[in-house]
Amino acid sequence: MADKFYAPPIDEYLPQNGNRGYRVSRYELDLVYKVSSNRLSGRATITAVTTAVQPRFALDLSQSLGVTKVFVNGSKAAKYTHHRGKLTVTPAHKVPSGGALVVAVQYAGTPTPVRGQWGEVGWEELTEGALVASQPNGAASWFPCDDHPSSKASYRISITTDSPYYAVANGALVRKQTKASQTTWVYDQPEPMASYLATIQIGPYRKYRVGSVHDDAVPMQAILPARLRANFDYDFARQPRMMAEFAERFGPYPFGSYTVVVTDDDLEIPIEAQGMSIFGANHCDGRRGAERLVAHELAHQWFGNSLTVGQWRDIWLHEGFACYAEWIWSEASGGPEADDLARAARQNLARSPQDIVVGDPGPRLMFDDRVYKRGALTLHALRLSLGDPGFLGLLREWTARYRHSTVSTEEFADLAGRYSTASLRPLWNRWLYETALPELPAPGATR
C-alpha cells in the first residue's frame, strides 16, 4: 500500500511556509544569546504527531543559522539537508502515521531578519539587545518550526544572556538563575500559539507593575528602560480600564497575564505577540499620543492571538477587529463615538484607490491600511445591522467558541447569520468581496 502524504492547507500568500506530515504540539527552545556579537546558539526540541508515513519531513529555518546535529526520537544523529530555508530531515526509521515524533535540532549563527515583500521580519538586533517581530513569516529567523498560522503549539522558551540585560518571552516566568556573568530566563506558554507570535525581547530593561494591586483580574506588567518610566505611567495609565472594557465586550481575557515591552530604540509600528505587545520609545511620549495603538495591540490578544486565522487571506479578522477596538475604546473613554470615527474613516477611504478586496487582498496588500480600516467598517456595518445587543453577543460567542484555535471568514459569517433574521450575504459581498466602497447605513437605522 502506498504511503499517504498529509497535505495541510497551503497558504497561497506564503506557499513556501508550512510543512507536511506532522502536527506540532510543543516547542522547547534552549537558547544562548551574546548581545555584543549578535550570536545565537540553541537546541530546539519539537514534539509532534505524524499524520502520514513518509520518508522525510521538513522544518522552516533561516539559512543564517547553521545546523550542527539533528536527532529523531532519541536515536543517533539523523541525516538532514538545509537549503533555501527548509531543514529536511530523514529519520533512520520511518515513523508510523499517528506516531510520536520528537525532533531535536542543534544550531547556531548570527540571526538576521527574513527578507520579503513586507520588508524584514523576525529577529532584529537593537542598539543594546534584540527584538523579535515575526509576522507573517519571521519565526524561522530564530528557531526551526512549522511556520504556518494554523500550526499552534505550547512553548517553553529558555534564554541565557548577559546578566545586565533583561530577557522576556511569551508566557509566565517559571525560573530565573544567574551564574557568573549570565542569567537564564525560562518562560512557559501553555496556551496554543502560532509560530509568528512567539517572541523574545532583550534589552536594558526593568520590570514594573501596570495598575494598582486592586487591578488583579488580569496581572499586567511592563518591561522598559528606567528613563521612560514617568512617560509610561501616564501613557499607559488607562490600560487597566481598557482591559476591563475589552473583557466586557469581547469576553474574558484569553491568557494568564499581559506584558507590555517598550524598547530603548524607536520603532516604526508596535509589535504583536501572544500575551505581549512591544512598543518603541517613540510610542511613550508622555502625552498619550499612541493610546489608540495601545488599544489596538491589546485587542489582538483576542483577535489574532487566541483566535488566529488559518489562512493569511483572512487577515481582516485580525486587523479589522483590532482597528474597531480602537473605536470601541474611544467611545468608552469619552472620545468620539465609533459611528463618528467609522464615517470619518469611510470618507478618507473614499479618496483612496478602490482596487482592494478586503476578504482576499493578496499578499502584496495584506498589510495595506485599507484592509484594517475597511475591515473595521465591515464590523460597524454589521453592528448597525444587528444592533448593539446582537453585535456584542456575537463577539462574545465568537471569542468563546473559537478560543485558542484557528478561524476563517466563513466561520464568522456563519455565526453572525444566527444573530440576524435577514441574510447577511449582501453585506459580506459588498464589504469583503467587492472593490467598490459601500455606503454605511444611517446611524441606528436598523437597530
Side-chain angles (χ1 to χ4, degrees):
M1 183 175 177
D3 291 345
K4 292 184 179 179
F5 285 77
Y6 171 67
I10 297 299
D11 195 298
E12 294 177 356
Y13 292 10
L14 286 166
Q16 300 304 314
N17 287 72
N19 301 287
R20 300 168 184 263
Y22 61 90
R23 293 291 292 180
V24 179
S25 60
R26 185 165 177 82
Y27 292 90
E28 296 191 350
L29 308 179
D30 293 281
L31 309 174
V32 178
Y33 181 64
K34 188 68 175 176
V35 173
S36 61
S37 56
N38 188 34
R39 177 75 177 179
L40 178 70
S41 60
R43 179 184 175 96
T45 304
I46 302 157
T47 302
V49 174
T50 60
T51 56
V53 180
Q54 54 190 48
R56 64 190 63 86
F57 55 90
L59 295 160
D60 298 299
L61 182 65
S62 169
Q63 295 300 135
S64 66
L65 299 170
V67 176
T68 55
K69 288 184 180 179
V70 178
F71 302 91
V72 178
N73 289 344
S75 64
K76 65 180 181 179
K79 295 180 180 179
Y80 65 89
T81 61
H82 189 197
H83 184 59
R84 293 188 176 181
K86 288 289 184 182
L87 174 62
T88 303
V89 180
T90 303
H93 306 284
K94 288 184 181 180
V95 181
S97 180
L101 183 65
V102 180
V103 184
V105 181
Q106 293 180 3
Y107 62 99
T110 301
T112 57
V114 174
R115 294 180 179 177
Q117 58 186 311
W118 309 283
E120 295 185 337
V121 295
W123 190 285
E124 183 176 339
E125 188 178 10
L126 295 174
T127 303
E128 274 194 280
L131 65 76
V132 171
S134 292
Q135 189 182 33
N137 64 332
S141 70
W142 63 288
F143 69 101
C145 59
D146 182 24
D147 202 3
H148 190 285
S150 69
S151 181
K152 302 179 75 168
S154 66
Y155 282 70
R156 180 187 63 79
I157 302 174
S158 171
I159 177 74
T160 300
T161 193
D162 306 290
S163 290
Y165 297 100
Y166 196 108
V168 61
N170 311 84
L173 178 63
V174 295
R175 183 168 65 87
K176 177 186 174 185
Q177 181 178 0
T178 299
K179 186 176 182 181
S181 61
Q182 293 190 316
T183 300
T184 298
W185 312 72
V186 183
Y187 294 86
D188 187 71
Q189 170 64 71
E191 296 88 1
M193 176 169 67
S195 53
Y196 82 92
L197 293 168
T199 194
I200 287 177
Q201 308 292 322
I202 300 171
Y205 306 143
R206 298 174 73 174
K207 176 182 172 181
Y208 304 97
R209 173 191 291 273
V210 176
S212 71
V213 293
H214 304 293
D215 299 317
D216 58 358
V218 178
M220 289 181 281
Q221 61 183 4
I223 312 294
L224 67 150
R227 71 179 180 87
L228 296 174
R229 174 73 187 279
N231 283 1
F232 180 90
D233 284 348
Y234 181 75
D235 291 339
F236 287 77
R238 301 204 291 184
Q239 186 174 275
R241 281 181 54 199
M242 194 182 290
M243 177 69 80
E245 184 69 29
F246 287 175
E248 181 178 348
R249 302 291 187 104
F250 307 147
Y253 178 73
F255 305 108
S257 63
Y258 182 56
T259 299
V260 170
V261 176
V262 182
T263 67
D264 209 20
D265 293 33
D266 289 352
L267 299 180
E268 183 178 353
I269 57 174
I271 298 164
E272 169 194 356
Q274 186 155 305
M276 187 187 310
S277 298
I278 301 94
F279 296 82
N282 51 310
H283 299 124
C284 202
D285 59 9
R287 301 188 300 273
R288 290 186 183 154
E291 191 172 69
R292 73 171 186 85
L293 299 176
V294 176
H296 185 106
E297 299 307 323
L298 176 57
H300 270 315
Q301 302 307 317
W302 287 265
F303 309 110
N305 296 189
S306 178
L307 280 66
T308 309
V309 296
Q311 296 280 308
W312 285 112
R313 66 168 177 260
D314 291 323
I315 192 171
W316 83 274
L317 289 173
H318 293 184
E319 302 302 347
F321 276 77
C323 183
Y324 198 67
E326 298 175 29
W327 302 349
I328 286 177
W329 171 246
S330 175
E331 65 181 15
S333 60
E337 295 290 314
D339 190 73
D340 296 329
L341 293 169
R343 293 179 192 281
R346 191 210 169 276
Q347 188 174 16
N348 288 334
L349 283 173
R351 293 192 286 266
S352 302
Q354 305 303 312
D355 61 355
I356 192 167
V357 176
V358 174
D360 191 359
R364 184 177 64 86
L365 297 177
M366 64 185 283
F367 295 115
D368 192 291
D369 189 59
R370 291 172 293 172
V371 174
Y372 294 50
K373 294 301 191 296
R374 188 158 160 174
L377 286 172
T378 301
L379 294 172
H380 193 64
L382 180 63
R383 180 180 180 179
L384 292 174
S385 176
L386 301 180
D388 275 7
F391 179 69
L392 295 177
L394 166 63
L395 294 189
R396 286 190 288 266
E397 184 175 356
W398 176 239
T399 60
R401 180 183 291 260
Y402 294 99
R403 184 179 174 93
H404 302 313
S405 61
T406 57
V407 293
S408 68
T409 297
E410 291 76 14
E411 288 167 331
F412 182 64
D414 287 346
L415 186 61
R418 303 180 188 181
Y419 287 80
S420 177
T421 56
S423 173
L424 295 173
R425 181 56 54 191
L427 184 151
W428 305 126
N429 287 340
R430 285 194 303 268
W431 285 100
L432 296 180
Y433 300 112
E434 296 174 3
T435 56
L437 182 64
E439 294 285 348
L440 282 168
T446 55
R447 292 190 185 183

